Amino acid sequence: MGEKVEAGGLALSDRQRYRRKLQQCLAGLARLLAEKRFDRPKNLMGLEIELNLAGADGLPRMMNAEVLERIASHDFQTELGMFNLEVNIVPHRLGGRVLDQLAEELRTGLGYAHRKAGEVGAGIVMIGILPTLEQDHLVTSNLSDVDRYTLLNDQIVAARGEDFELDITGVERLTCTSTSIAPEAACTSVQLHLQVTPARFADVWNAAQAVAAVQVAVGANSPFLFGRELWRESRPPLFQQATDTRPPELQAQGVRPRTWFGERWVDSAYDLFEENLRYFPALLPICDDEDPLRVLEDGGIPSLQELVLHNGTVYRWNRPVYGVADGVPHLRVENRVLPAGPTVTDVIANTAFYYGLVRALAEESRPVWSRLPFSAAAENFDAACRHGIDAELKWPRPGRIGGITHVPVVKLVRDELLPLAAAGLDAWNIEPADRDLYLGVIEERCKRRINGASWQADTYHRAREAGLEREAALAATTRRYCELMHQGEPVHTWPVGFPGAHS
């Protein structure tokens, strides 16, 4: 959604024109695939992290414009809410010391941004959902002052035709309504990109879908929203409900939500783009002048602008991406499952685990998705979001027996998935010392059953037991989180509670 979009009225005929244009783009994509015009494998990965701005009191600061002006770097951009920023790390080749390089770049970039934010009384927080966010922070007037957000909000609100209902039952229950998509801004995530060839796309996407639940379970970091303790990873239900263009009647008819896990394993990237056109009406029917089929006839590479824009308004947890770099088209799988944080080390550990696991699973002779029903992968994702590191998942039995078994995620990761991830990182030629360091972080989380979400919840309950009211406890938890985040030791080592307090 990083495209510059100008807010202006949309005519009724724009949608029909846009739909025709989308069909031309899809035909163009089919031709590019058939003619094998895509880039050769370069093992390229990319990383984006959404961030929060908070003050020394732990409360959100609505000042991304001022902070970005001071940072003055193209690596940092606006996000949906005025308390959000996004940092983009330039694409890297997977291999060698790339994990340590990424960690170093992130530490440098975030440290600089944090100092700059400090000049205007704010600070950078890497967390899935800021625990101190209240409902009155997430209103239309706190959306970033960017045309595309205004237009997107107007279009989603118009499509829905009524207030958005949030209703999430976890440890506690949250129910409230919103007149805009602003609550979506509470969700801050890590997005991992992997450039793949068309022949490899389906295997990588299917592998990413199969392990999405595992990623969330070990990486959960969003237990609170609007003062309530909900799911261990509350971003997915919040994201789905905050962008839901379907009133209850359309939900009852089985119309698909725009924030979507999907419903089947795929055979090619084309399947996903085609589904996006078939199921989802345009939200931003803005047409480009390019005629993609003519560009192809003339030997050029079309930008498929409408397809790219439409794809950006369907919020899959693993999204297909079409891009053109240096005049050559490429495909990427964009993994959008993980929350931000807690520390740079934790983010890179999650990153290493994902790239290693996806590589190994995509190359298995009997891949997991041939043995696991898609519906089980979707149920796993839900269970992982609810229960985090304590989740139990459905998984194919190892060996020849076959069938599906229920297994605690910590056991699955330690017995089966960490060795696979290590083999995958070896296949990428990652430095063994870095492989062991970062996968070791995942292993320790599983051993101790601690991740960002469990630490936040345990620390909050300590504060309540010490007599703090709900709001004060959430603010104290956030301040302590920020302190430990900036010290940088991975979250499984963090002491629960507050220094000096009696446990």
Side-chain angles (χ1 to χ4, degrees):
M1 276 306 299
E3 306 306 317
K4 291 282 174 277
V5 171
E6 287 166 31
L10 293 168
L12 291 177
S13 59
D14 288 348
R15 287 183 188 282
Q16 288 155 325
R17 185 169 157 241
Y18 187 79
R19 188 179 290 121
R20 286 193 295 273
K21 198 69 195 290
L22 277 175
Q23 292 297 343
Q24 291 171 0
C25 287
L26 193 62
L29 178 69
R31 265 192 66 176
L32 285 164
L33 289 166
E35 294 171 10
K36 301 197 172 7
R37 301 281 287 277
F38 281 85
D39 202 359
R40 294 282 152 269
K42 289 210 174 73
N43 296 351
L44 277 181
M45 57 82 66
L47 176 66
E48 303 166 75
I49 307 180
E50 295 162 352
L51 307 163
N52 286 281
L53 292 170
D57 54 5
L59 300 179
R61 290 283 185 275
M62 304 295 163
M63 51 198 324
N64 62 2
E66 295 98 308
V67 172
L68 282 166
E69 207 174 295
R70 285 174 181 262
I71 293 174
S73 157
H74 291 305
D75 295 344
F76 287 84
Q77 293 162 345
T78 49
E79 252 303 322
L80 186 58
M82 287 185 178
F83 59 95
N84 301 142
L85 302 176
E86 180 172 274
V87 59
N88 292 299
I89 297 292
V90 294
H92 283 60
R93 198 150 281 159
L94 273 160
R97 302 302 310 263
V98 68
L99 296 172
D100 255 9
Q101 285 161 7
L102 287 167
E104 193 48 45
E105 281 173 44
L106 272 176
R107 283 192 191 100
T108 306
L110 293 173
Y112 173 72
H114 187 61
R115 286 194 299 280
K116 288 294 170 189
E119 293 173 11
V120 288
I124 301 282
V125 192
M126 265 201 308
I127 196 166
I129 297 175
L130 200 61
T132 48
L133 279 172
E134 291 293 338
Q135 210 186 331
D136 56 11
H137 292 132
L138 289 165
V139 290
T140 315
S141 56
N142 283 338
L143 290 177
S144 292
D145 187 16
V146 176
D147 280 348
R148 73 171 187 274
Y149 298 135
T150 310
L151 187 58
L152 186 66
N153 179 59
D154 293 349
Q155 293 295 305
I156 290 181
V157 169
R160 186 175 169 86
E162 59 188 82
D163 285 354
F164 295 87
E165 302 265 346
L166 298 186
D167 187 348
I168 305 170
T169 302
V171 178
E172 299 177 290
R173 185 174 177 194
L174 171 74
T175 56
C176 61
T177 60
S178 171
T179 57
S180 77
I181 63 169
E184 186 210 315
C187 305
T188 37
S189 64
V190 170
Q191 285 134 34
L192 301 172
H193 290 257
L194 179 60
Q195 187 179 321
V196 290
T197 58
R200 299 262 302 154
F201 182 93
D203 288 347
V204 171
W205 188 85
N206 290 337
Q209 286 285 95
V211 300
V214 178
Q215 287 181 275
V216 164
V218 297
N221 197 26
S222 320
F224 298 104
L225 177 65
F226 297 166
R228 294 281 178 276
E229 185 180 351
L230 301 174
W231 295 11
R232 281 305 191 237
E233 187 49 58
S234 306
R235 282 168 36 258
L238 168 60
F239 207 112
Q240 179 171 330
Q241 294 178 20
T243 59
D244 205 338
T245 52
R246 311 166 304 158
E249 298 80 4
L250 289 184
Q251 292 181 34
Q253 286 173 36
V255 171
R256 290 145 181 94
R258 289 200 90 104
T259 300
W260 199 35
F261 188 77
E263 61 194 16
R264 62 189 178 118
W265 306 115
V266 301
D267 297 319
S268 85
Y270 182 89
D271 293 356
L272 297 174
F273 287 104
E274 191 273 331
E275 265 183 1
N276 286 357
L277 269 61
R278 188 155 31 116
Y279 296 143
F280 300 103
L283 285 178
L284 299 170
I286 297 158
C287 284
D288 190 61
D289 293 335
E290 175 187 84
D291 177 341
L293 299 175
R294 174 153 305 146
V295 172
L296 276 167
E297 289 297 334
D298 297 343
I301 296 297
S303 65
L304 307 184
Q305 204 54 53
E306 293 83 2
L307 191 75
V308 169
L309 184 60
H310 184 60
N311 188 46
T313 65
V314 179
Y315 304 101
R316 294 177 182 272
W317 294 108
N318 284 293
R319 179 190 268 166
V321 180
Y322 169 88
V324 181
D326 304 323
V328 185
H330 66 263
L331 291 171
R332 304 196 300 275
V333 173
E334 180 193 11
N335 175 261
R336 304 156 47 77
V337 164
L338 288 163
T343 64
V344 168
T345 301
D346 287 301
V347 168
I348 300 303
N350 291 339
T351 301
F353 186 50
Y354 170 73
Y355 286 118
L357 204 43
V358 160
R359 172 82 190 242
L361 289 175
E363 291 180 354
E364 281 194 317
S365 54
R366 282 187 65 218
V368 64
W369 57 92
S370 67
R371 297 176 287 140
L372 184 73
F374 192 91
S375 57
E379 284 168 36
N380 282 347
F381 185 66
D382 194 68
C385 292
R386 286 175 189 274
H387 304 296
I389 206 149
D390 296 320
E392 224 178 61
L393 304 182
K394 295 177 174 176
W395 202 255
R397 274 200 188 84
R400 297 200 166 278
I401 313 159
I404 303 293
T405 182
H406 284 260
V407 58
V409 72
V410 289
K411 180 173 166 48
L412 176 66
V413 170
R414 289 175 67 187
D415 294 355
E416 200 173 325
L417 300 183
L418 277 171
L420 275 173
L425 292 176
D426 289 345
W428 291 121
N429 294 314
I430 297 290
E431 180 67 37
D434 291 359
R435 172 200 69 200
D436 295 345
L437 171 70
Y438 291 110
L439 292 184
V441 170
I442 303 293
E443 182 171 21
E444 284 299 319
R445 276 190 222 155
C446 290
K447 261 189 197 160
R448 304 181 192 199
R449 288 184 173 242
I450 293 174
N451 60 13
S454 66
W455 182 90
Q456 285 186 58
D458 292 349
T459 298
Y460 163 77
H461 289 295
R462 286 277 172 94
R464 291 302 304 270
E465 285 156 17
L468 289 184
E469 290 301 320
R470 188 181 284 265
E471 276 176 30
L474 286 165
T477 300
T478 306
R479 291 194 299 271
R480 180 70 175 140
Y481 177 101
C482 293
E483 204 178 297
L484 292 166
M485 179 195 91
H486 287 294
Q487 285 173 17
E489 291 298 318
V491 72
H492 67 264
T493 67
W494 292 9
V496 167
F498 303 89
H502 299 294
S503 52

